[in-house]
């Protein structure tokens, strides 16, 4: 088998599991494993399933062109920010509900055909779901802090729809951008989320919530990071918190090598940092971001020059880079190729 660059990414455990390679591989040779991508090797039967024999790597190297880790990171995450504001909607989301409001409005207007969302049950077990109806979008509201390979489910939508929106954390926004630039132009809008780190589902439900937070998953209605702590809000109205330092070591290993906090590759980046409680921070980055945001402005309430503002976002971005850049560059030194790094 020809060794594409993502083989190094997988072997050194820095695969983000964004799923871009799974949907973009023309041979269907890549599958999403438990925590990272896996490539079907023609010389091995390990990953074969009934009827999958033809789906083996043919050495086209498409996967290497759309891997965020191979592509590398920007040192300045703010060079492409065109405008910054606070916004909120009438959706009771994690904070201002802006992400759900954008997706709902664009589906209703027919400006997008579908969007991938993540739903959860009472036990905080998550599931990827493709939404084509505006009325269904609210099922995905709220931040889960666990990771699902959003881009891995786009293979079928690519064959059915013309205007696809992607909502995801920085590595997923990055992968979506690389797909749209190199493989498939049906992704018309990328909404990125501000993200310091995420967790494997079983770590969140079996370790962090019951052991570190001391509560039952089914009693939790919301989780959040803020003021140096990780918070869990329960049905009885109680607030439970622990220092972030207690949960951070349990983040997925690829998160410790990520140097993108603000989803720099998105058209629109949305978070809760830098704005008052109940509002979302919104960073418009591209022509497409400006175009689609104007289409939904009538459904949002705005706040100009919110506080604490970009200062706090920049501070947390620097913190992520300071914590992770050395880890990432150390792995880059081990790669068998010269890509990666910062630009």
């Amino acid at each position: 088998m020809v060794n594409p660059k993502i083989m190094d990414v997988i072997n050194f455990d820095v695969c983000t599991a964004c799923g871009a390679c799974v949907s973009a591989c023309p041979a269907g040779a890549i599958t999403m494993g438990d925590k990272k991508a896996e490539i079907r090797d023609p010389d091995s039967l390990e990953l074969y399933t009934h009827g999958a024999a033809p789906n083996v790597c043919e050495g086209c190297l498409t996967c290497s062109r759309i891997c965020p880790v191979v592509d590398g990171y920007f040192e300045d995450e703010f060079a492409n920010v065109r405008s910054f504001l606070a916004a909120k909607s009438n959706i009771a989301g994690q904070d201002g509900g802006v992400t759900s409001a954008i997706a709902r409005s664009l589906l209703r207007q027919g400006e997008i055909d579908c969007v991938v969302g993540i739903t959860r049950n009472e036990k905080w077990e998550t599931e990827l779901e493709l939404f084509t109806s505006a009325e269904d979008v609210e099922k995905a509201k709220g931040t889960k802090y666990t990771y699902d390979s959003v881009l891995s489910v786009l293979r079928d939508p690519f064959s059915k729809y013309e205007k696809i929106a992607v909502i995801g954390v920085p590595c997923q926004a990055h992968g979506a951008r690389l797909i749209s630039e190199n493989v498939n132009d049906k992704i018309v809008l990328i909404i990125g989320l501000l993200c310091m780190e995420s967790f494997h589902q079983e770590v969140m439900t079996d370790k962090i919530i019951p052991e570190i937070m001391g509560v039952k998953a089914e009693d939790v209605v919301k989780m959040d990071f803020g003021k140096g702590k990780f918070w869990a809000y329960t049905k009885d109205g109680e607030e439970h918190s622990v220092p972030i330092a207690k949960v951070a070591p349990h983040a997925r290993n690829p998160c410790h090598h990520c140097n993108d906090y603000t989803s720099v590759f998105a058209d629109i980046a949305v978070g809760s940092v830098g704005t008052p409680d109940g509002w979302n921070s919104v960073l418009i980055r591209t022509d497409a971001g400006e175009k689609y945001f104007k289409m939904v402005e009538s459904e949002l309430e705005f706040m100009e020059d919110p506080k604490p503002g970009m200062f706090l976002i920049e501070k947390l971005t620097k913190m992520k880079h300071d914590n992770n850049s050395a880890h990432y560059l150390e792995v880059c030194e081990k790669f068998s190729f010269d890509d990666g790094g910062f630009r």
Side-chain angles (χ1 to χ4, degrees):
M1 180 177 69
V2 175
N3 283 331
K5 295 174 182 177
I6 68 166
M7 286 301 295
D8 281 10
V9 173
I10 293 169
N11 291 335
F12 288 116
D13 195 25
V14 288
C15 171
T16 69
C18 70
C21 56
V22 176
S23 292
C25 176
I30 307 177
T31 182
M32 185 51 60
D34 184 30
K35 295 178 173 65
K36 57 187 178 182
E38 297 176 337
I39 300 178
R40 294 190 176 102
D41 185 341
D43 298 321
S44 170
L45 298 178
E46 183 180 356
L47 293 175
Y48 278 32
T49 57
H50 180 68
N55 303 123
V56 295
C57 179
E58 298 177 355
C60 73
L61 305 182
T62 297
C63 56
S64 299
R65 299 200 304 274
I66 49 84
C67 175
V69 180
V70 172
D71 191 55
Y73 300 97
F74 283 106
E75 288 188 352
D76 183 0
E77 292 191 28
F78 301 95
N80 67 348
V81 174
R82 302 186 179 192
S83 58
F84 165 71
L85 62 147
K88 65 179 179 179
S89 72
N90 61 2
I91 296 177
Q94 179 77 3
D95 289 280
V98 169
T99 302
S100 297
I102 293 173
R104 182 183 66 180
S105 179
L106 293 177
L107 280 169
R108 187 176 292 154
Q109 296 178 56
E111 293 295 336
I112 59 174
D113 300 323
C114 66
V115 61
V116 179
I118 301 174
T119 60
R120 70 166 179 87
N121 59 23
E122 277 198 346
K123 295 182 179 180
W124 287 82
E125 297 167 335
T126 57
E127 185 175 352
L128 289 169
E129 190 169 337
L130 188 72
F131 298 120
T132 57
S133 167
E135 289 68 34
D136 290 336
V137 168
E138 290 192 44
K139 294 179 183 178
K141 66 184 181 182
T143 304
K144 287 77 177 177
Y145 294 108
T146 53
Y147 195 90
D148 287 271
S149 300
V150 168
L151 304 182
S152 67
V153 300
L154 291 180
R155 193 174 189 85
D156 188 48
F158 280 149
S159 66
K160 292 183 177 180
Y161 303 106
E162 297 299 317
K163 298 176 292 184
I164 300 171
V166 168
I167 299 172
V169 292
C171 57
Q172 295 162 347
H174 193 168
R177 177 65 61 202
L178 293 172
I179 289 177
S180 69
E181 291 178 347
N182 294 282
V183 180
N184 195 312
D185 62 1
K186 290 186 176 182
I187 298 177
V188 297
L189 177 64
I190 303 169
I191 303 175
L193 308 174
L194 274 60
C195 176
M196 188 67 75
E197 59 211 355
S198 63
F199 304 85
H200 291 301
Q201 181 173 292
E202 65 271 19
V203 172
M204 179 63 74
T205 57
D206 299 343
K207 176 71 176 180
I208 295 177
I209 295 178
E211 294 186 19
I212 297 178
M213 303 300 297
V215 295
K216 295 180 180 179
E218 53 266 35
D219 291 335
V220 177
V221 295
K222 177 182 176 180
M223 293 185 286
D224 200 5
F225 282 96
K227 300 177 182 177
K229 295 182 178 182
F230 182 65
W231 300 80
Y233 302 86
T234 47
K235 294 176 181 177
D236 57 10
E238 293 294 318
E239 300 178 357
H240 307 263
S241 66
V242 296
I244 291 177
K246 284 194 172 184
V247 300
H250 300 284
R252 301 183 314 127
N253 188 62
C255 295
H256 298 306
H257 300 81
C258 174
N259 287 269
D260 185 353
Y261 175 65
T262 65
S263 286
V264 66
F265 293 90
D267 297 302
I268 303 170
V270 180
S272 60
V273 175
T275 57
D277 291 343
W279 292 78
N280 281 125
S281 51
V282 180
L283 287 72
I284 308 296
R285 297 184 179 274
T286 66
D287 288 342
E290 290 182 341
K291 169 188 169 183
Y292 286 106
F293 198 72
K294 286 183 182 300
M295 293 179 182
V296 304
E297 284 182 338
S298 61
E299 300 190 29
L300 299 172
E301 183 180 346
F302 299 99
M303 178 189 299
E304 300 295 334
D305 192 26
K307 301 301 181 186
M310 286 289 285
F311 163 76
L312 183 55
I313 298 177
E314 291 170 351
K315 178 181 178 181
L316 292 175
T317 299
K318 182 178 184 302
M319 182 185 301
K320 184 169 186 177
H321 283 230
D322 288 347
N323 288 340
N324 294 357
S325 59
H327 298 297
Y328 173 62
L329 291 175
E330 182 179 352
V331 174
C332 286
E333 289 294 321
K334 301 176 183 177
F335 287 156
S336 61
F337 53 87
D338 294 329
D339 300 37
F342 291 91
R343 48 196 157 113

